[in-house]
Amino acid sequence: MSSSRRSFLALTGLCGAEALLHGPRAASAGQQPSRIPAPKSAPASADAGMALLAASRLLADESLLRTALEAATKAGASYADARLVLMRRERVGVRDDHVSGIGRSEDYGVGLRVIADGGWGFAATAERSAKAVEGIARAAVAMARQSALLMPQPVTLAPAPVLQGGWVSPFQVDPFSIAPAEKAELLLAAARAALAVPGVAHVDASVACVREEKLVMTSEGSRVHQIFFRVIPGLTATAIDRRRGRFAGRDHEVAPMLAGWEHVTAADLVGSAPKIAEEALQKLHAAPAVPGKKHAILAPSNLWLTIHESIGHSTELDRALGYEANYAGTSFLQPDKAGKVKIGSEIVNLAADRTQPGGLATTAWDDEAVASQRWDLVKKGTFVGWQTTRDLAAAAGEPASRGCSYADSYASVPFQRMPNVSLQPGTEGYTTEDLISATDDGVLITGRGSWSIDQQRYNFQFSGQFFWEIKNGRLTRPLRDVAYQANTVEFWSSCDMLGGTDTYRLGGSMSDGKGEPSQSNAVSHGCPPARFVVNILNTGGDK
């Protein structure tokens, strides 16, 4: 085992259960996750991870995967991968002084994907019996043969090593071990703290938790078993000016994270609530935006979404090839443009990373049992790399997949999904204050707001949560009704200042839609604060 893989084990809590189950063939995967910042929580211990994997419900049904693979091969499949997926979700929400909802769901079954006659086929079942999985094997192969008739060329997979192992995402406290009543009490206490600020009329608070467990086996001999915990706390305070008939909402800017309940505790919803409420009032009475071309300093809590839409989606190879066109479009980048087109300034470096601590798309292996990795998408402003799966890598003439295959349910077909895509910090060590001091006329924008981008991921408009006017290197007053407009190349080419390593933060989303039928992926994006030249718009019509 390489030293980098040993570091990955130590830092991310790769568990030892698989070594016990499979002996010396068990292997780890992934690069050392040294990107900044790691979550404040410590990794799960090997013992805790081993216990979770060893007690897994999926192990009792593992034989079904072997049955599915054997049946698919017998029916004529040249390749097959089978997945047992158990997805648990829980959401607790409150509004003002009462619980507004508690929702729980569980989704469990077997999915089988095959190649036969050069075409893809897929079938799934929630019935966990040998008869049922043999049936989906025949159905998947039949579908593949029909698909092959429409294929311009047969599906080819880039080679991948045979891997076996297990991994549990780092956590301290299992979020499902906290009772819904305890979660509700925390949220109600936060709501009370916000409502105590005069002028705040309503407060919504919530916490959502996901536990995803997946066992993947391939006809080539790979077997990987993983468990992921994801959490997102949230709080929104709404202030109302009844005299003017105006209201303003302010969201807590805490990001979702691949972590346990400790991330919710660290967010300090109760302690943060009064400040969120006061900023809702500031936003309500803020001055209207003054339109014009000027500097925008984007905080990580805002910039992550622009990274996601303009870079994350445009560097998905299936979009550039036209495979993903009907739902949210293609890409302005062409399949042969890697290494040939400049899309940003020299200080712009963006990396894809499935090993990043806390990243929602972080994993040890993807749904094709390909090891996680980190690679460059944009280097010194030049687009240099795609996001790929095994079939996309082969189509692009690349030697191996980048490990981006994912399906959001046992009943969903795996396809290319976004890894964590992050803007790297600058080398000068600038702080947010340094960026502000260097700006004569601009706006500081924090938090996620409304957004719009075209089908090629090129022309866009984004808003935010909170806005400060900048004049002569100082924050002068809060603003409202602010949006910024640009296109992807102009935007990233105008980037002239970046915060340093200490300013780097993760943002992200628990629900990134793609595909038809639609699937939802969780993904994070890290970045420092950064300065751009954009068109500032007034979205409210006031002057």
Side-chain angles (χ1 to χ4, degrees):
M1 185 186 299
S2 69
S3 60
S4 65
R5 293 187 186 279
R6 290 185 186 276
S7 299
F8 186 77
L9 285 168
L11 291 175
T12 62
L14 184 67
C15 302
E18 301 301 316
L20 295 178
L21 292 171
H22 297 286
R25 289 191 66 199
S28 64
Q31 299 178 358
Q32 180 177 351
S34 59
R35 265 63 63 194
I36 301 295
K40 298 299 184 184
S41 59
S45 70
D47 289 343
M50 186 183 341
L52 282 177
L53 290 174
S56 170
R57 287 169 54 185
L58 275 60
L59 298 180
D61 295 321
E62 182 174 349
S63 63
L64 296 176
L65 299 185
R66 287 190 287 270
T67 299
L69 295 175
E70 291 168 1
T73 302
K74 183 178 179 180
S78 58
Y79 167 85
D81 52 50
R83 293 170 296 115
L84 275 167
V85 183
L86 172 60
M87 188 78 74
R88 293 179 61 195
R89 295 182 175 89
E90 180 186 82
R91 184 185 184 279
V92 178
V94 307
R95 179 166 175 81
D96 299 337
D97 60 354
H98 63 277
V99 176
S100 57
I102 296 177
R104 280 182 162 182
S105 66
E106 182 174 292
D107 192 33
Y108 185 33
V110 182
L112 177 67
R113 188 180 63 155
V114 306
I115 298 175
D117 296 346
W120 279 119
F122 176 78
T125 180
E127 182 181 340
R128 297 185 300 279
S129 69
K131 181 180 180 180
V133 298
E134 288 169 354
I136 65 169
R138 291 189 295 270
V141 170
M143 179 187 293
R145 286 178 168 149
Q146 290 297 311
S147 299
L149 300 175
L150 303 175
M151 298 286 291
Q153 57 188 21
V155 173
T156 302
L157 300 182
V162 174
L163 294 173
Q164 298 197 10
W167 187 72
V168 176
S169 64
F171 74 100
Q172 285 184 328
V173 180
D174 181 344
F176 288 88
S177 70
I178 308 299
E182 184 176 343
K183 293 171 180 173
E185 281 302 319
L186 171 67
L187 299 174
L188 287 168
R192 287 193 295 271
L195 287 168
V197 176
V200 172
H202 297 291
V203 177
D204 294 277
S206 64
V207 61
C209 309
V210 175
R211 185 187 194 273
E212 179 181 13
E213 184 168 356
K214 188 173 293 187
L215 178 59
V216 176
M217 296 178 68
T218 75
S219 58
E220 297 170 331
S222 289
R223 178 196 182 277
V224 293
H225 186 188
Q226 301 181 89
I227 300 175
F228 308 88
F229 291 100
R230 302 183 183 96
V231 294
I232 176 169
L235 183 143
T236 300
T238 302
I240 296 178
D241 183 339
R242 300 186 187 281
R243 182 179 63 82
R244 293 188 295 171
R246 177 175 290 161
F247 68 91
R250 175 70 166 117
D251 294 346
H252 195 309
E253 293 181 5
V254 59
M257 200 72 69
L258 186 77
W261 187 253
E262 67 278 0
H263 179 58
V264 179
T265 302
D268 189 18
L269 293 180
V270 177
S272 303
K275 184 175 185 294
I276 300 299
E278 289 162 3
E279 290 183 352
L281 289 167
Q282 284 183 292
K283 190 174 175 181
L284 178 64
H285 299 296
V290 178
K293 182 165 282 192
K294 58 188 70 180
H295 279 119
I297 297 173
L298 306 183
S301 58
N302 178 269
L303 182 55
W304 74 263
L305 183 59
T306 312
I307 293 170
H308 175 89
E309 299 296 345
S310 67
I311 301 295
H313 278 309
S314 66
T315 56
E316 294 174 309
L317 183 55
D318 58 347
R319 290 183 181 276
L321 291 171
Y323 300 165
E324 176 74 11
N326 218 23
Y327 181 11
T330 55
S331 172
F332 73 93
L333 294 168
Q334 300 302 309
D336 61 346
K337 293 301 182 183
K340 301 176 182 178
V341 59
K342 195 86 167 175
I343 63 172
S345 66
E346 285 290 315
I347 66 172
V348 172
N349 296 283
L350 290 127
D353 192 349
R354 300 210 75 189
T355 72
Q356 188 165 14
L360 294 170
T362 292
T363 183
W365 304 274
D366 75 349
D367 281 5
E368 294 179 321
V370 172
S372 62
Q373 57 186 284
R374 180 182 189 270
W375 69 100
D376 292 324
L377 297 175
V378 177
K379 191 72 173 175
K380 293 185 177 181
T382 298
F383 164 61
V384 296
W386 294 104
Q387 306 166 37
T388 63
T389 55
R390 291 183 66 184
D391 59 336
L392 290 174
E398 297 183 358
S401 167
R402 290 298 186 178
C404 295
S405 179
Y406 178 79
D408 68 354
S409 163
Y410 77 89
S412 298
V413 63
F415 71 126
Q416 193 274 308
R417 297 311 311 269
M418 196 184 300
N420 307 306
V421 174
S422 300
L423 174 66
Q424 303 307 292
T427 59
E428 297 86 355
Y430 291 142
T431 64
T432 303
E433 290 73 19
D434 292 331
L435 271 64
I436 294 168
S437 296
T439 302
D440 291 330
D441 182 24
V443 182
L444 171 66
I445 302 177
T446 76
R448 174 177 176 170
S450 62
W451 59 274
S452 177
I453 193 165
D454 69 18
Q455 296 289 79
Q456 284 70 50
R457 303 288 152 172
Y458 192 67
N459 296 292
F460 61 71
Q461 178 177 311
F462 288 84
S463 185
Q465 270 292 309
F466 204 81
F467 319 95
W468 280 94
E469 182 181 65
I470 303 172
K471 291 291 185 183
N472 301 317
R474 293 179 179 274
L475 300 181
T476 56
R477 56 180 180 169
L479 298 175
R480 58 180 168 82
D481 300 332
V482 177
Y484 58 95
Q485 184 184 63
N487 69 52
T488 296
V489 174
E490 289 177 353
F491 177 80
W492 290 106
S493 295
S494 76
C495 183
D496 62 358
M497 291 188 76
L498 294 170
T501 299
D502 290 344
T503 67
Y504 183 101
R505 298 290 183 272
L506 278 180
S509 174
M510 296 278 270
S511 56
D512 172 33
K514 185 181 176 183
E516 290 191 51
S518 177
Q519 294 190 36
S520 182
N521 181 43
V523 63
S524 294
H525 304 286
C527 58
R531 191 174 77 166
F532 305 85
V533 175
V534 296
N535 292 315
I536 293 294
L537 307 178
N538 181 322
T539 62
D542 293 348
K543 297 181 179 179

